[in-house]
Amino acid sequence: MRCQLKDAQISAVVVTYDRRDLLTEALTALEGQTRPPDAIVVVDNASTDGTSGLVRERFPDARLLELSRNTGGAGGFAAGIACALELGADALWLLDDDTVPEPGALAALLAARERGRDDAGRPPALVASRVVWTDGRDHPMNTPRSRPSAVAGCARIRSASFVSVLVDAEAVRERGLPIADYFLWNDDFEFTLRLLRGRTGLLCRDSVAVHKTASPDFDPGRRFFYEVRNKVWLFTRSRCLGPGERLLYAGATARRWARTLAGPADRADLARELGRGLWAGVRSGPRPNEAVLTCRDSGPR
């Protein structure tokens, strides 16, 4: 196992936008891993706060991709994953810029990846970390539903978020990149559902990452448009779900939207975003990634 853990080529992919202080903390945590990644790809989503200069100065070994405009987490991860695949990675460690993994997080993910190999020696399609908020509680936005697993210290999952998840490179080559036009919300949901259809996904409890969101609560605001539009795209244009799953997830989504509309005071704004999202999702599908992404690869200095 030691040889396999050492020889696997791991590329970390971090997507950032105008959060240089959080990014500094995240990249410092990557460099401080007990088993550091072999390469770090930082995708700058056209930040205006000097992020690119910070990366060049403080983290010169990182490969920096500078996007010409903000393409959201979806576009950023699509570009970063494509770059990591070109670097020859065996697995991709995906993290938001406000994610701070504990020192042993990657080593634990890799150990679970080895324990979870099937009879043919194929690793799980992905292994996700346990994600906590700043107070140590499991983060409700990044805690997937899980089932018992025969793999020690792990549970089986059907989806994961882009907050410390180790993805098998071959699975991505087979199933495709994230859909860049999702911009934000449900891009990681669709991508990991697609990777895990007929494949194994694990939640590794020994791997812990802190997700430094402003709050652990779900607060959509005007971004509710993306939640609605992208879910419509997911249910009508993606092959990530089987027919039975599609019905179950659609029912769960309808209940969640109803609770969202019933809760906050800005109900009129949410209802307007619901209508806009439904219309946009039905009217047309996501554009190809090539039509969304343009970037400059600065590479390591």
Side-chain angles (χ1 to χ4, degrees):
M1 182 180 296
R2 287 196 183 96
C3 291
Q4 290 173 318
L5 293 182
K6 178 181 178 181
D7 294 342
Q9 294 297 303
I10 311 301
S11 289
V13 179
V14 183
V15 176
T16 189
Y17 175 69
D18 277 353
R19 294 199 288 198
R20 51 179 290 162
D21 291 341
L22 283 169
L23 177 65
T24 299
E25 192 173 358
L27 295 180
T28 300
L30 295 191
E31 292 185 339
Q33 292 292 298
T34 57
R35 196 295 194 189
D38 302 289
I40 298 175
V41 178
V42 178
V43 184
D44 180 12
N45 248 323
S47 295
T48 59
D49 63 350
T51 288
S52 294
L54 167 76
V55 174
R56 293 191 187 95
E57 180 180 350
R58 295 280 303 276
F59 305 96
D61 292 332
R63 181 172 291 273
L64 176 64
L65 298 184
E66 298 178 75
L67 274 63
S68 60
R69 62 185 179 84
N70 182 11
T71 61
F77 278 109
I81 291 171
C83 176
L85 292 177
E86 290 179 1
L87 294 176
D90 297 307
L92 318 166
W93 191 20
L94 311 180
L95 308 103
D96 280 335
D97 58 2
D98 56 357
T99 303
V100 181
E102 292 188 351
L106 179 56
L109 289 175
L110 287 168
R113 184 174 188 260
E114 294 304 317
R115 296 196 305 272
R117 289 183 180 270
D118 61 21
D119 293 339
R122 187 173 64 167
L126 63 83
V127 184
S129 297
R130 175 185 169 228
V131 181
V132 300
W133 195 49
T134 53
D135 62 0
R137 290 181 293 163
D138 285 356
H139 203 305
M141 292 175 59
N142 311 114
T143 302
R145 295 178 182 176
S146 61
R147 296 180 295 161
S149 169
V151 180
C154 296
R156 288 179 64 96
I157 54 176
R158 184 64 179 87
S159 65
S161 70
F162 286 154
V163 182
S164 189
V165 58
L166 185 69
V167 175
D168 181 57
E170 283 305 312
V172 179
R173 292 187 177 98
E174 176 187 336
R175 301 290 174 90
L177 297 169
I179 300 173
D181 215 16
Y182 272 52
F183 191 73
L184 57 83
W185 281 8
N186 295 307
D187 51 313
D188 47 4
F189 187 51
E190 191 279 337
F191 175 65
T192 57
L193 282 172
R194 184 166 16 111
L195 292 188
L196 290 177
R197 187 172 180 185
R199 293 285 302 272
T200 299
L202 297 175
L203 172 66
C204 176
R205 305 190 191 282
D206 293 333
S207 176
V208 179
V210 180
H211 194 193
K212 293 195 168 184
T213 56
S215 166
D217 300 321
F218 176 74
D219 182 18
R222 292 190 174 181
R223 295 179 298 175
F224 194 47
F225 165 82
Y226 295 105
E227 154 69 13
V228 175
R229 184 199 65 178
N230 296 350
K231 278 281 174 58
V232 173
W233 281 351
L234 187 154
F235 292 134
T236 61
R237 291 177 168 86
S238 174
R239 297 181 179 179
C240 63
L241 296 170
E245 290 181 318
R246 200 177 301 273
L247 289 174
L248 289 174
Y249 278 95
T253 296
R255 290 192 297 273
R256 184 178 186 182
W257 290 355
R259 289 195 299 268
T260 299
L261 290 170
D266 55 351
R267 194 171 304 165
D269 288 342
L270 287 175
R272 183 166 54 251
E273 298 306 316
L274 173 68
R276 288 183 60 233
L278 289 172
W279 173 242
V282 171
R283 182 181 56 185
S284 63
R287 295 170 293 168
N289 282 7
E290 295 77 9
V292 178
L293 299 174
T294 56
C295 65
R296 182 171 74 253
D297 182 356
S298 298
R301 286 198 311 183

